[in-house]
Amino acid sequence: MCKGEDFEKCEYRETMKVGFKLMGRVERLKSSVLKVNSWLLIIRAIVTALVWASAVQLVGIWLIRGPSLFNVWPPCTHLELPAHAVELTNKLPMPIALPPKRVYKNNGYLMVSCNGGLNQMRAAVSSSHFITILDILTFSFDVLLGLSPTTMLFYSLLDFTQICDMVAVARYLNVTLIVPELDKNSFWAASEFQDVFDVDHFIASLRDEVRILRILPPKLKKRPAYSLPPVSWSNMSYYLHQILPLVQKYKVVHLNKTDARVANNGLPLEFQKLRCRVNFHALRFTSQIEEVGRKLVGILREKGPFLALHLRYEMDMLAFSGCSHGCSNDEVEELTRMRYANPLWKIKDINSETKRLEGLCPLTPEETALVLVALGVDHNVQIYIAAGEMYGGNRRMEGLKAAFPNLVRKETLLEPSDLRFFPNHSSQMAALDYLVSLESDIFIPTYDGNMAKVVEGHRRFLGFKKTVLLDRRLLIGLIEQFSTGSLSWDEFSYIVKEAHANRMGSPKERVSVPDKPKEEDYFYSNPHECLQLLDGPLRTT
């Protein structure tokens, strides 16, 4: 209580006490408000983050599953884009709907090593791990003999079939496929699988059939893989009873030397169709190769129809086959030295003329010119040389160029800048020739190697496009008779035309030779199980 004389002072003190109490309450109130606001901010941030996360996930689902999930929304009004924007949009690749992943019990991992050229690579994938490139032999001539990459162009190109076979085997065994590595000791070490093919597309487009990984999972890298070469021309029974138990035991099996083929015939229809799916859909060249290939075809198309000539008269082909018809003595010696220098070529002593008369040699440029004229090919047509450098150079090409002056090749049609991405990469250069060969109005191979066989089958798949399959044994006999005067030109030309009237890549049944797979028709040259026939039932001739 305040006394009277001190009332004012006392009142002041009481007022101050009340004021301090009020100020304390205000401060406490402010503190609590700040705490509440802080929690509100935190809660708001969390809610905002959740909302955005949900939105991102919904957008992701929409991108994967398509706009059908949101078809309750009103349609957007059409907006007119400027011309340059429309042109840019048209150049963008169309999005591809990915197939659903196949769910299965994984029995293990399959690795594959390939040796040889691009075609070997393509074929091997069907079996296990995608690796491949033509089933032509591995060559290390760049080191041994100093050959240029262009000399060995098509050996680097294409046994796509290895890849296709290995994918199908992986699917059949329920194993995970590992992206293959090329043989690091061979000429083809210059290119990796991803340098030639679109790996992402390959993996994604087959995910409903087989799981494919770029590399082994880390936990398996330290575990030694069981390595072995597969038995050539095996059916699925071999892989099921011989390879699968090894995969289950060791978890990782490495198939080397996969130029060994899976059988052509006697396989389940699903297996055969998967081989085709890999070859014709999953194996897509890189965007750079595809772009340059389209440019090449565009340049050729601007000038009219064109014929792709797979002229297998490169140095490596002649040394390997032992064919030296028309070569000088010095050239014969050079080819012989090359054959003996390569330990992978088992046959060393070869009689060139005997082999030629049996139809086992590629046609020479001079013989090719004679055959093309006899077939009635227009002298002014563009002829695209789908091959490497011809052995003997311009001297050996004079007769062909005299008969068909419009001979072209990628190096003459493109600027050096167009090929700047492919220096010393034979597989990529060969891939360009493969693309042009597919698009040509007529395709004529002078030797039935893997490149020729795979292009033949691919052109059948594209609608039985005209492919002239030369009967070399018959032709060499006719050429000898014409050269000696036993046949007139009219007789020669008539017989050549008649003999090839039914050898144009039209539908026919694949020839099967039980117990002799090397003598029967190659599956990839005529995968009739996968083809929609255009002219009625299959023929047997």
Side-chain angles (χ1 to χ4, degrees), residues 81-146:
L81 296 176
H84 69 277
V86 172
E87 182 179 357
L88 178 61
T89 302
N90 291 336
K91 292 181 179 180
L92 295 176
M94 295 295 292
I96 299 176
L98 297 179
K101 288 185 179 181
R102 176 169 170 256
V103 179
Y104 60 93
K105 180 183 178 181
N106 182 32
N107 288 320
Y109 297 82
L110 190 59
M111 302 179 68
V112 179
S113 291
C114 62
N115 50 1
L118 180 56
N119 275 329
Q120 266 178 310
M121 178 174 186
R122 193 155 189 152
V125 171
S126 296
S127 131
S128 76
H129 147 257
F130 65 33
I131 179 189
T132 67
I133 292 187
L134 215 69
D135 71 351
I136 302 183
L137 302 173
T138 301
F139 298 102
S140 302
F141 299 141
D142 57 326
V143 176
L144 295 176
L145 300 168

Side-chain angles (χ1 to χ4, degrees), residues 120-192:
Q120 266 178 310
M121 178 174 186
R122 193 155 189 152
V125 171
S126 296
S127 131
S128 76
H129 147 257
F130 65 33
I131 179 189
T132 67
I133 292 187
L134 215 69
D135 71 351
I136 302 183
L137 302 173
T138 301
F139 298 102
S140 302
F141 299 141
D142 57 326
V143 176
L144 295 176
L145 300 168
L147 299 185
S148 66
T150 54
T151 303
M152 319 195 45
L153 183 63
F154 267 106
Y155 274 130
S156 73
L157 178 59
L158 297 141
D159 200 347
F160 302 158
T161 55
Q162 269 189 24
I163 296 178
C164 305
D165 289 347
M166 290 299 104
V167 168
V169 167
R171 169 64 172 82
Y172 188 81
L173 300 182
N174 287 332
V175 298
T176 296
L177 203 62
I178 306 300
V179 173
E181 291 185 355
L182 304 188
D183 184 357
K184 293 298 185 293
N185 295 318
S186 75
F187 175 83
W188 315 123
S191 294
E192 297 287 356

Side-chain angles (χ1 to χ4, degrees), residues 424-479:
N424 301 321
H425 284 262
S426 305
S427 295
Q428 295 170 330
M429 297 288 275
L432 294 176
D433 286 345
Y434 183 89
L435 290 173
V436 175
S437 297
L438 284 186
E439 294 297 325
S440 62
D441 296 279
I442 304 174
F443 175 65
I444 302 181
T446 61
Y447 187 71
D448 56 353
N450 288 309
M451 164 67 179
K453 291 176 181 178
V454 177
V455 172
E456 175 194 348
H458 205 152
R459 288 173 64 87
R460 288 177 184 273
F461 180 80
L462 295 175
F464 300 98
K465 301 175 72 172
K466 182 174 290 188
T467 302
V468 183
L469 307 172
L470 300 178
D471 186 340
R472 292 191 307 280
R473 184 170 185 173
L474 172 67
L475 288 172
I476 294 302
L478 293 174
I479 290 172

Side-chain angles (χ1 to χ4, degrees), residues 244-509:
L244 181 57
L246 294 175
V247 175
Q248 293 172 327
K249 179 178 179 180
Y250 296 98
K251 295 304 179 185
V252 181
V253 168
H254 175 212
L255 296 181
N256 54 45
K257 298 181 181 179
T258 51
D259 54 328
R261 303 289 181 193
V262 173
N264 293 312
N265 302 296
L267 300 175
L269 181 60
E270 294 77 13
F271 187 98
Q272 301 289 57
K273 289 190 174 182
L274 180 54
R275 296 168 96 178
C276 294
R277 178 179 170 186
V278 179
N279 195 27
F280 303 133
H281 297 292
L283 284 175
R284 185 170 68 185
F285 292 122
T286 65
S287 58
Q288 287 181 340
I289 293 174
E290 294 275 354
E291 181 180 354
V292 177
R294 283 193 295 269
K295 183 173 183 178
L296 260 176
V297 173
I299 293 172
L300 289 162
R301 284 274 176 242
E302 287 178 357
K303 298 179 181 179
F306 68 95
L307 181 154
L309 180 64
H310 184 30
L311 189 59
R312 286 311 317 273
Y313 205 75
E314 301 107 332
M315 184 178 184
D316 58 319
M317 182 70 246
L318 300 182
F320 167 68
S321 64
C323 299
S324 55
H325 182 73
C327 296
S328 66
N329 291 334
D330 289 342
E331 289 173 335
V332 172
E333 291 181 5
E334 183 179 34
L335 296 173
T336 302
R337 286 197 302 271
M338 176 186 287
R339 184 166 66 254
Y340 276 86
N342 194 308
L344 296 176
W345 291 345
K346 297 178 181 179
I347 302 176
K348 305 298 184 182
D349 189 13
I350 300 174
N351 186 311
S352 176
E353 279 306 306
T354 299
K355 194 168 184 179
R356 173 175 174 265
L357 292 175
E358 291 176 349
L360 300 177
C361 288
L363 296 183
T364 67
E366 298 88 350
E367 293 167 345
T368 301
L370 203 58
V371 170
L372 294 181
V373 174
L375 286 171
V377 175
D378 190 326
H379 291 268
N380 294 316
V381 72
Q382 296 179 95
I383 295 184
Y384 177 88
I385 304 298
E389 182 180 349
M390 295 296 104
Y391 190 56
N394 293 331
R395 174 180 64 85
R396 298 304 302 271
M397 295 294 289
E398 288 177 356
L400 183 60
K401 190 168 182 61
F404 299 94
N406 291 326
L407 294 182
V408 296
R409 48 196 315 136
K410 55 187 169 296
E411 292 84 358
T412 62
L413 294 174
L414 297 173
E415 297 295 331
S417 58
D418 294 320
L419 299 173
R420 67 186 184 278
F421 298 112
F422 314 133
N424 301 321
H425 284 262
S426 305
S427 295
Q428 295 170 330
M429 297 288 275
L432 294 176
D433 286 345
Y434 183 89
L435 290 173
V436 175
S437 297
L438 284 186
E439 294 297 325
S440 62
D441 296 279
I442 304 174
F443 175 65
I444 302 181
T446 61
Y447 187 71
D448 56 353
N450 288 309
M451 164 67 179
K453 291 176 181 178
V454 177
V455 172
E456 175 194 348
H458 205 152
R459 288 173 64 87
R460 288 177 184 273
F461 180 80
L462 295 175
F464 300 98
K465 301 175 72 172
K466 182 174 290 188
T467 302
V468 183
L469 307 172
L470 300 178
D471 186 340
R472 292 191 307 280
R473 184 170 185 173
L474 172 67
L475 288 172
I476 294 302
L478 293 174
I479 290 172
E480 290 299 306
Q481 293 180 58
F482 173 71
S483 300
T484 59
S486 300
L487 280 179
S488 68
W489 172 256
D490 289 342
E491 291 172 325
F492 174 78
S493 178
Y494 175 80
I495 296 174
V496 170
K497 289 177 182 176
E498 285 296 307
H500 292 87
N502 293 323
R503 298 175 64 91
M504 298 288 181
S506 55
K508 72 182 186 71
E509 189 173 339

